Amino acid sequence: MYRNSSPTPTILFVDNDWDQIKLIKETAKHLDGVFVTIQKGGESALEYLTQNDNDVDAIVLDLAMPFMSGLELTRLLRIKQFKEEVYPPFEIFWATGYTIDLSNDYNPVTQDYYAYGVRKMFTKPYDVADIVAEIKTVFETRKSNDF
């Protein structure tokens, strides 16, 4: 069911804000049935995923990071998965502190959201436990739809 053949999903959170990272770490200590790992920024996440992409089931990316945004990282990851025929692909979720109207088809972010198969966008500040619960639901639904 999971990419890493583990009984629990591995979720990678990527953010550049130390306060958010501390919150994720603190909350993750109290979550059952999931392994949470964190990378600070898009570049370190890309390096981590180059070595560990088979171990990650879902990624929660901050869209507004310096040097490499969540959108840029999403593009690179999906291209890499396509070229290497990685299946099943990991699920990508976005997080942002900005208001983005996904119903506006002319918005480039909306177009990328659908083009790259992003599962959902979360608005910051977010509750880590709620995100993890939602990600677990995605995998439970996937499991029940497998034949």
Side-chain angles (χ1 to χ4, degrees):
M1 176 164 95
Y2 302 113
R3 297 181 78 238
N4 60 4
S5 301
S6 167
T8 60
T10 297
I11 302 170
L12 170 63
F13 282 83
V14 183
D15 207 304
N16 65 300
D17 179 352
W18 279 115
D19 291 333
Q20 187 69 32
I21 290 170
K22 285 189 269 185
L23 178 67
I24 295 166
K25 281 183 181 179
E26 188 56 38
T27 305
K29 291 178 190 176
H30 307 287
L31 297 174
D32 292 324
V34 66
F35 177 75
V36 172
T37 187
I38 305 163
Q39 290 295 314
K40 185 177 189 304
E43 291 173 327
S44 68
L46 185 59
E47 184 177 323
Y48 175 83
L49 287 164
T50 299
Q51 299 170 6
N52 302 288
D53 72 340
N54 288 334
D55 296 336
V56 175
D57 298 294
I59 304 170
V60 180
L61 297 171
D62 179 12
L63 280 182
M65 296 184 288
F67 308 113
M68 182 183 293
S69 71
L71 176 56
E72 186 178 355
L73 182 56
T74 299
R75 287 180 183 145
L76 291 171
L77 294 175
R78 287 300 192 220
I79 289 168
K80 180 181 184 304
Q81 286 181 315
F82 179 75
K83 283 182 179 177
E84 297 175 9
E85 298 181 4
V86 174
Y87 187 82
F90 38 70
E91 299 289 349
I92 294 179
F93 298 82
W94 285 349
T96 183
Y98 300 101
T99 302
I100 298 174
D101 180 7
L102 290 177
S103 66
N104 179 354
D105 292 338
Y106 298 103
N107 181 338
V109 175
T110 302
Q111 293 170 2
D112 288 334
Y113 177 88
Y114 291 108
Y116 294 114
V118 175
R119 185 58 87 146
K120 184 169 182 169
M121 185 168 343
F122 299 103
T123 303
K124 289 178 155 187
Y126 56 74
D127 184 307
V128 176
D130 288 346
I131 289 179
V132 168
E134 192 143 349
I135 291 171
K136 285 173 141 181
T137 300
V138 166
F139 286 109
E140 287 302 316
T141 302
R142 182 191 289 174
K143 181 180 175 184
S144 67
N145 290 334
D146 286 345
F147 298 111

